[in-house]
Amino acid sequence: MNASLSRVDARSGARLFSGLGMRQKQVLWAWSFLAVPVLFYAVVRFYPTLEAFWISTTNWNLLTKPSFVGLANFKRLLADPVFWKVFGNTALYLLLGTPISLLLAFTIAYHLDRVRFLHGFIRALYFLPFLTTAAAMAWVWRWFYQPVPIGLFNNLLAWLGIAQQPFLRSTTQSLPAVLAPAIWAGLGFQVVIFMAGLRAIPNTYYEAARIDGVSNGTILRRITLPLLKPTIVFLVVFSSIGFLRIFDQVYNMTSQTSSDPGGPLNATKPLVLMIYQTAFSSFDMGYAAAQTVVLFLVLLVVSLLQLRLLKDR
Amino acid sequence: MRGLRGMLLGLMVSVGAVAGAKAQTVEIEYWQYVFDARVKAMNELIKRFEAANPNIKVKQTTFPYADYQTKIAAAMPAGQGPDVVQLFYGWLDNFVGAKFIQPLPRDAFPPAAIEKEFYPIVSAMKRDGEYYALPTAVRSLALFYNKKLFQEAGLDPNTPPKTVDELLDFAKKTTKRDGAGNMLSAGITLDFPGQDYHWWRETLLRQNGGAPYSDDNKKVTYDSEAGAKSLNWYADLQRVHKVGQVGFMDEGQAAFRAGRAAMTIDGSFRLGAFGGIKAFEWGVAELPASADGKKANFASYWVNGITTKPTGEKLEAAKKFLAFVTTPEAMQLWLETVGELPARKAAAETEKNLNHPIYGPFLKALNYSYATVFVDEMAQRQVSLDMLNRVLLQNQDAKAALAEAAKAEQPILDRFYKK
């Protein structure tokens, strides 16, 4: 009975479909294909995002029913010294990480572009860290930073007769110490993108410039950099978001089995790590959601600013 | 539509039939987190329990530690989840507050008997006169020492330090450095995020006459003279005497295992890991007493409780099962499989166990142990950790560091007890 009914439905459906115009059919097809990712995004991305806004106004701790507390979580956030410390750290990761990595990547790409000898091999070497698992890499670097007798860097310093450095055990050195492998890991990717950008600049410009007897510096400033702008903008956006969301390097380099993630004294803690701890160690979901909303706003502002930059062209 | 309804009806009838056929055997569900030795021990206990109670079946479900609490929190409100559940003693207030577990029925678990037969630390499971959960096993801290390094330093490898002064003296003798003063081998490991923060809070602080929290646990009380004295003593191990160094060999237990630390303070749960050491012999001793002979130790444990889910015959089955896993027999099995200590005095303090060179010191400690009542273990640990870091990395005065820590920890307690 049911089966025959649905067969009737199918038949009338087919008639309905054939009654549509070409354009309407195309739209229908497009939407039926789009339905899967749209549904996926709605359920997996957009719904939780909206839910996070709601949770940020509750005191939900996973165990009890959430109750509405208004903006109390945000007030607590503004008064929390750890939050401001962490906010500053996140900004430092961004403001140090992005320019340093881009400058390094460009310098390497610019010179590597001229190297013919073993070109592919050298490029592969630069790209290799990008393929490594962040956790594995962070652990190796963490051991590099250990004191004598197991730390590579400190053994080297001791051999040179220089005093040991605390690196990860210092409130001032630990953030750069964590940032270094993060930059190193992303370098390969940026070098490859820069080189693709450099290759895309037509040779005729350079030839014309040389015929006119223009110096290398001027070529770089007047031809290479302006024509490389789309690449630069892409990499700036890409790596800024990366540094704003830095997590695995910090977590793996600073947490011990019985953990001080983001330490010592929160010197290396980024916002994402604070959110993670608030949510999944303290189970303070409302407060964690409030932090997430702040991170969302920061990412939004940074992205909008950079979109603006793109439009300038 | 009618087809669907018919199908549903059929399904319901058949489910009912299956349930009817199984009415004689009761199935209850038991949850714990994944830890090989514990799962193995529990499987063995379930086997023995089912043999003794053929009409009860126990289904064990395990989750990775990281997801464990989340899974319970998600399952319980939905009416799913375990009938008997394992939880860390520090989670009790959360579980009671969320109505996940019920008070242990007095007929099967009379409070007076619990108080008489179990170690006093179990009283942390009591709320308003009712016990909510019971442990099978407990853990305490002890001093592990490397006999080979003791011998090399001219110390008797069978005489571990008995007082904190001796500990310092022995540590000085066993520390090794290179010409430039870099540490090659530590006298004692300094690993605050490991077990040292428990050692400081429940042992050193109390030996100096202090207490970490008020009796009702609602006030931080370590911001005191005793607090400053004990914190300074601990920090001086690195600052003044240089017999240990935070972060040396990454972790305290790693340094000890590599034979690069003469002494380390760790829990009974470390026995398994240290059991694999082949390069040297090691011994276990009670935590050193203070100069005037005062002893204190930190104990922690996992407990089993009955959730609010089972009623009727399931509740009866759950009661029987919980009673079984807290029998002396179960505790001895747990000791031999997992290495954790029996929670019943009588089961723990047998001649054989007390004279055991490794279990002995841990067991003796249970008589003078304190179980800290945490409301948010992670956050509270972070506070202590930051306190020591300010002293060691930023040369903050111990008194100021304690005051700042108390100021950070009090709101954590307040937020919890306000609820």
Side-chain angles (χ1 to χ4, degrees):
Chain A
M1 179 88 173
N2 261 342
S4 66
L5 246 178
S6 63
R7 224 174 292 140
V8 172
D9 273 352
R11 233 177 288 143
S12 65
R15 222 177 299 136
L16 213 69
F17 185 76
S18 58
L20 293 173
M22 185 69 177
R23 179 96 190 114
Q24 284 162 317
K25 271 187 194 166
Q26 272 180 348
V27 171
L28 198 69
W29 272 116
W31 274 106
S32 55
F33 277 108
L34 273 175
V36 177
V38 164
L39 210 70
F40 177 80
Y41 267 85
V43 174
V44 172
R45 284 277 158 92
F46 302 138
Y47 166 69
T49 309
L50 293 176
E51 180 86 6
F53 279 93
W54 151 243
I55 294 173
S56 73
T57 61
T58 69
N59 63 357
W60 189 38
N61 72 349
L62 209 66
L63 301 179
T64 52
K65 288 236 154 21
S67 60
F68 183 74
V69 293
L71 294 178
N73 284 325
F74 292 94
K75 269 187 213 140
R76 182 176 154 200
L77 200 59
L78 291 180
D80 189 347
V82 177
F83 171 72
W84 289 109
K85 172 81 191 152
V86 163
F87 199 80
N89 288 342
T90 311
L92 265 181
Y93 279 120
L94 174 70
L95 296 177
L96 288 176
T98 305
I100 293 178
S101 66
L102 285 186
L103 210 68
L104 269 176
F106 178 74
T107 317
I108 292 167
Y110 185 71
H111 290 103
L112 192 58
D113 197 32
R114 285 137 196 246
V115 174
R116 288 285 158 266
F117 179 69
L118 286 179
H119 176 89
F121 179 69
I122 300 173
R123 200 174 48 182
L125 280 188
Y126 277 111
F127 197 68
L128 218 52
F130 188 71
L131 301 177
T132 316
T133 317
M137 202 173 56
W139 273 83
V140 172
W141 276 75
R142 178 175 156 182
W143 281 70
F144 283 172
Y145 285 132
Q146 293 299 316
V148 174
I150 51 172
L152 181 78
F153 295 146
N154 271 325
N155 274 332
L156 204 68
L157 290 179
W159 182 67
L160 291 171
I162 302 171
Q164 283 199 63
Q165 293 301 314
F167 295 120
L168 294 173
R169 285 286 313 156
S170 148
T171 47
T172 46
Q173 295 178 2
S174 53
L175 193 137
V178 169
L179 191 58
I183 292 176
W184 177 68
L187 208 58
F189 175 76
Q190 295 180 345
V191 167
V192 168
I193 300 288
F194 263 131
M195 285 188 36
L198 287 171
R199 291 281 161 89
I201 299 172
N203 244 333
T204 44
Y205 293 136
Y206 291 116
E207 280 161 12
R210 292 232 172 73
I211 288 165
D212 287 346
V214 180
S215 75
N216 271 341
T218 316
I219 291 177
L220 178 66
R221 256 181 299 119
R222 291 294 170 82
I223 298 175
T224 312
L225 284 179
L227 288 173
L228 213 54
K229 192 168 173 190
T231 312
I232 295 174
V233 170
F234 166 74
L235 282 176
V236 166
V237 174
F238 194 82
S239 80
S240 311
I241 293 177
F243 283 114
L244 278 176
R245 315 181 305 184
I246 189 167
F247 176 85
D248 19 13
Q249 269 92 4
V250 188
Y251 187 81
N252 286 298
M253 286 180 71
T254 58
S255 71
Q256 306 192 348
T257 37
S258 38
S259 80
D260 181 13
L265 294 174
N266 300 318
T268 58
K269 191 179 285 179
L271 200 47
V272 184
L273 182 51
M274 186 183 181
I275 295 171
Y276 171 80
Q277 286 181 319
T278 315
F280 301 111
S281 298
S282 298
F283 297 107
D284 203 343
M285 294 297 172
Y287 193 36
Q291 294 161 12
T292 314
V293 169
V294 171
L295 178 67
F296 172 77
L297 292 178
V298 171
L299 280 171
L300 190 71
V301 168
V302 170
S303 304
L304 282 180
L305 271 176
Q306 287 165 346
L307 273 180
R308 199 155 219 171
L309 256 162
L310 252 174
K311 252 191 190 160
D312 267 2
R313 267 176 14 91
Chain B
M1 197 61 209
R2 204 191 301 155
L4 186 68
R5 209 179 295 160
M7 212 166 77
L8 268 178
L9 197 73
L11 199 69
M12 266 158 67
V13 167
S14 55
V15 166
V18 171
K22 281 225 163 179
Q24 296 93 337
T25 57
V26 183
E27 188 180 281
I28 55 170
E29 206 168 316
Y30 175 76
W31 280 19
Q32 71 165 334
Y33 76 94
V34 180
F35 189 97
D36 272 347
R38 305 171 78 94
V39 175
K40 219 175 96 197
M42 191 43 81
N43 278 334
E44 179 59 31
L45 285 178
I46 290 174
K47 213 170 87 192
R48 291 190 193 179
F49 176 73
E50 286 177 347
N53 300 276
N55 56 343
I56 303 176
K57 277 202 75 63
V58 182
K59 188 178 156 219
Q60 179 176 208
T61 309
T62 57
F63 298 99
Y65 180 75
D67 302 338
Y68 186 62
Q69 270 200 85
T70 324
K71 292 274 186 204
I72 294 173
M76 286 304 296
Q80 304 286 311
D83 301 291
V84 178
V85 65
Q86 188 178 71
L87 58 143
F88 191 59
Y89 81 99
W91 302 346
L92 187 78
D93 282 301
N94 272 330
F95 275 57
V96 172
K99 300 208 165 50
F100 287 174
I101 53 176
Q102 51 176 309
L104 297 180
R106 278 168 171 264
D107 55 339
F109 307 95
I114 293 175
E115 267 149 39
K116 209 175 101 213
E117 290 161 15
F118 283 75
Y119 277 105
I121 40 170
V122 173
S123 67
M125 295 299 99
K126 196 171 163 185
R127 296 288 179 279
D128 301 323
E130 303 280 354
Y131 277 87
Y132 277 85
L134 283 177
T136 296
V138 295
R139 304 99 68 98
S140 61
L141 300 180
L143 179 78
F144 290 81
Y145 64 100
N146 181 327
K147 293 189 176 177
K148 193 171 147 204
L149 289 179
F150 265 45
Q151 214 152 17
E152 282 171 18
L155 295 168
D156 176 10
N158 292 312
T159 316
K162 289 192 181 55
T163 64
V164 282
D165 296 331
E166 270 182 26
L167 175 88
L168 178 59
D169 180 47
F170 285 22
K172 280 180 186 164
K173 286 182 178 143
T174 47
T175 306
K176 289 187 204 162
R177 318 183 147 277
D178 69 7
N182 296 320
M183 185 170 283
L184 292 178
S185 180
I188 180 162
T189 61
L190 298 187
D191 192 351
F192 217 61
Q195 297 303 318
D196 284 6
Y197 95 107
H198 298 303
W199 183 41
W200 168 73
R201 195 190 53 241
E202 295 295 4
T203 307
L204 298 175
L205 178 64
R206 288 182 191 275
Q207 286 176 338
N208 280 288
Y213 305 101
S214 62
D215 286 339
D216 62 358
N217 290 306
K218 290 184 181 170
K219 282 267 166 294
V220 173
T221 55
Y222 53 65
D223 179 15
S224 63
E225 201 59 44
K229 235 168 108 186
S230 52
L231 186 58
N232 271 325
W233 186 85
Y234 182 83
D236 281 349
L237 293 174
Q238 172 169 328
R239 285 187 308 198
V240 179
H241 309 300
K242 299 186 167 42
V243 294
Q245 185 184 321
V246 175
F248 175 69
M249 294 292 286
D250 207 23
E251 281 177 72
Q253 57 103 357
F256 187 78
R257 219 180 325 185
R260 286 190 181 269
M263 293 179 276
T264 188
I265 284 168
D266 219 321
S268 33
F269 39 82
R270 192 67 73 195
L271 290 172
F274 285 170
I277 296 176
K278 296 232 161 49
F280 58 88
E281 258 190 85
W282 49 272
V284 179
E286 284 179 80
L287 290 187
S290 62
D292 54 359
K294 207 158 163 190
K295 290 178 177 181
N297 201 308
F298 165 74
S300 62
Y301 48 96
W302 285 77
V303 288
N304 291 306
I306 301 177
T307 65
T308 43
K309 201 182 105 189
T311 50
E313 54 181 5
K314 282 207 175 206
L315 178 60
E316 288 309 310
K319 272 156 72 176
K320 272 190 194 155
F321 182 62
L322 181 60
F324 179 78
V325 297
T326 50
T327 53
E329 181 204 349
M331 290 178 181
Q332 192 64 32
L333 184 140
W334 202 268
L335 174 69
E336 280 153 19
T337 322
V338 187
E340 291 182 326
L341 316 162
R344 277 177 195 268
K345 241 175 129 96
E349 297 184 358
T350 60
E351 195 73 21
K352 188 177 136 214
N353 286 346
L354 275 181
N355 289 330
H356 195 282
I358 291 170
Y359 298 144
F362 288 107
L363 284 170
K364 284 176 198 148
L366 290 176
N367 288 306
Y368 52 84
S369 284
Y370 297 87
T372 319
V373 179
F374 291 110
V375 303
D376 181 350
E377 203 262 348
M378 206 279 314
Q380 288 175 282
R381 168 207 300 265
Q382 192 66 52
V383 169
S384 319
L385 205 51
D386 289 349
M387 173 182 75
L388 182 75
N389 275 335
R390 283 194 302 272
V391 172
L392 288 182
L393 301 180
Q394 300 181 327
N395 296 318
Q396 195 183 27
D397 174 60
K399 270 199 183 125
L402 284 159
E404 203 174 325
K407 217 178 107 204
E409 189 167 356
Q410 190 60 52
I412 300 176
L413 299 181
D414 289 346
R415 251 200 311 282
F416 181 82
Y417 288 110
K418 199 182 65 197
K419 268 185 234 160

